Amino acid sequence: MLEKPYYRPRRLRFHPRLRRMVAETRLFPEDFIYPLFVCPGEGVRKEISSMPGNFNLSVDHLLEECREIQGLGVMAVLLFGLPPRKDEIGSGAFAEDGIVQQAVRAIKAVFPDLLVITDVCMCEYTSHGHCGPIRNGEVDNDATLELLARTALSHAKAGADIVAPSDMMDGRVRAIRQELDGNGFEHTPILSYAAKYASGFYGPFREAAQSAPQFGDRCSYQMDPANQREALREVALDIEEGADIVMVKPAMPYLDVIYRVKTEFEVPVAAYQVSGEYAALVAAHRNGWLDRDRTILESLLSIKRAGADLIITYFAKDAVRLIRAQ
Ligand code: PBG
């Protein structure tokens, strides 16, 4: 006679309540950060074609959006700027009345509780689309540091709660920390894009932020998708230089990296579910190939389960709605 199983894992799976009680991972509204793209002008709300549901917003519409976000209970936004003009060094990034600086001031004046995180990078502001000034056909690392530090300081002065450098230059966290500390912003945290890969999944973002490189690619500064141990070195360096939160980006194709960063370091870990991850899912939803609500939550749950404390996602509003409805 066949011996019956003694331990039956299914016992805990029958009752929906019990399933919820033994769930190992949960999503909370506090987990999410919502990216927003601010552009010059007034009355602008232009949908980004490869990221349905996301818009280039002028400051007036940005405030409308923040009202909705605040109402839903999303805690934080991540701001990207589209400047009115670009130049060789990306001076729009640190202009006192630059687009992000204006947006931060406007948001904090109306929604002081909404956490405003600013992306610190030059690529939206340079005419060539690279993340720093070019010398001899390559991005000049050390010349970029000074520009990034100026940019981060100008964001902090405008009222940013957190600055988030995404350029992948060597030494930028230290440069930014020094500049902030030297100017009375020693309490402004740095969320560092520590392990940022040279990824094909950024495609739609580059349309959204008009930041595609005009020649070459970003492989000389962003990480090779083949490398996991190198990510740990990058994270260790950034923590040493003063990063308060470290990020892995993209998220779903790099869950192993998220897991290792979480297990080997004691700082909060963020993961960025990037534009291409979003676009791929939305395309499948629109074709009726995947169930929208289920796959949004499952994708976010996988990122959290891997170890992310914070998730930057274009699904943040949907996620919070879905979690509250559960
Ligand atoms: C700027 C930056 C990029 C993203 C965030 N900050 C683009 C890039 O590095 O090319 C990508 C975000 C996304 O794809 O959603 N350096």
Side-chain angles (χ1 to χ4, degrees):
M1 209 182 74
L2 211 62
E3 207 181 311
K4 292 205 174 170
Y6 174 70
Y7 179 65
R8 294 177 185 268
R10 290 186 63 199
R11 283 185 197 121
L12 300 183
R13 293 183 196 144
F14 289 103
H15 200 300
R17 277 213 170 159
L18 187 50
R19 282 202 299 274
R20 280 188 71 162
M21 289 178 80
V22 299
E24 297 173 34
T25 312
R26 278 173 234 276
L27 296 170
F28 298 107
E30 292 82 354
D31 297 337
F32 302 107
I33 298 167
Y34 189 55
L36 290 169
F37 300 94
V38 57
C39 66
E42 235 189 271
V44 185
R45 188 170 188 272
K46 184 171 155 273
E47 189 163 37
I48 300 153
S49 65
S50 53
M51 299 173 70
N54 291 269
F55 301 83
N56 289 160
L57 301 166
S58 52
V59 171
D60 50 332
H61 279 283
L62 182 75
L63 292 176
E64 283 306 302
E65 185 70 36
C66 288
R67 190 176 308 284
E68 188 193 339
I69 290 166
Q70 176 95 333
L72 282 166
V74 176
M75 304 276 140
V77 296
L78 173 61
L79 282 189
F80 295 94
L82 284 77
R85 276 171 306 280
K86 304 185 189 229
D87 60 28
E88 282 287 307
I89 64 161
S91 53
F94 47 82
E96 194 139 323
D97 62 344
I99 187 71
V100 164
Q101 291 80 353
Q102 287 177 38
V104 175
R105 281 193 287 265
I107 296 175
K108 292 308 279 188
V110 187
F111 308 102
D113 296 335
L114 187 63
L115 278 177
V116 177
I117 307 170
T118 54
D119 184 86
V120 175
C121 194
M122 312 309 291
C123 65
E124 294 114 87
Y125 304 89
T126 53
S127 43
H128 44 73
H130 278 285
C131 301
I134 303 295
R135 200 177 59 187
N136 303 328
E138 261 309 330
V139 175
D140 184 340
N141 190 92
D142 297 5
T144 308
L145 298 183
E146 194 188 317
L147 305 177
L148 292 167
R150 276 175 77 176
T151 303
L153 178 61
S154 74
H155 291 178
K157 280 183 174 162
D161 296 291
I162 301 177
V163 292
S166 67
D167 53 285
M168 289 300 279
M169 295 302 126
D170 298 329
R172 89 267 205 213
V173 174
R174 171 169 296 138
I176 290 172
R177 189 71 271 159
Q178 272 177 3
E179 186 79 2
L180 291 175
D181 289 1
N183 288 278
F185 290 96
E186 51 277 276
H187 290 135
T188 302
I190 298 176
L191 161 54
S192 154
Y193 289 64
K196 176 174 176 180
Y197 287 87
S199 172
F201 287 95
Y202 305 150
F205 174 93
R206 291 178 187 173
E207 178 201 330
Q210 294 163 19
S211 67
Q214 300 301 302
F215 66 90
D217 55 36
R218 301 209 204 289
C219 292
S220 79
Y221 41 107
Q222 299 180 348
M223 282 182 56
D224 184 338
N227 298 351
Q228 187 198 67
R229 287 183 302 165
E230 188 189 2
L232 303 180
R233 285 205 298 281
E234 280 281 6
V235 168
L237 266 175
D238 281 8
I239 293 173
E240 222 176 271
E241 291 181 22
D244 301 281
I245 306 173
V246 293
M247 190 201 297
V248 175
K249 178 184 171 192
M252 275 211 340
Y254 297 89
L255 295 179
D256 58 318
V257 179
I258 297 173
Y259 179 74
R260 289 208 59 193
V261 170
K262 177 56 170 262
T263 43
E264 300 196 18
F265 298 94
E266 284 85 37
V267 298
V269 179
Y272 198 144
Q273 183 180 49
V274 301
S275 58
E277 298 179 72
Y278 173 84
L281 283 170
V282 170
H285 300 154
R286 295 201 156 190
N287 275 301
W289 294 338
L290 290 177
D291 181 285
R292 182 178 163 86
D293 294 356
R294 280 189 73 176
T295 54
I296 289 175
L297 287 178
E298 190 175 336
S299 70
L300 297 170
L301 201 59
S302 75
I303 296 165
K304 181 126 189 230
R305 195 186 60 238
D309 300 294
L310 302 170
I311 303 173
I312 300 160
T313 174
Y314 303 98
F315 288 123
K317 292 195 289 182
D318 303 272
V320 170
R321 266 192 219 108
L322 290 168
I323 292 166
R324 294 207 191 283
Q326 268 177 342

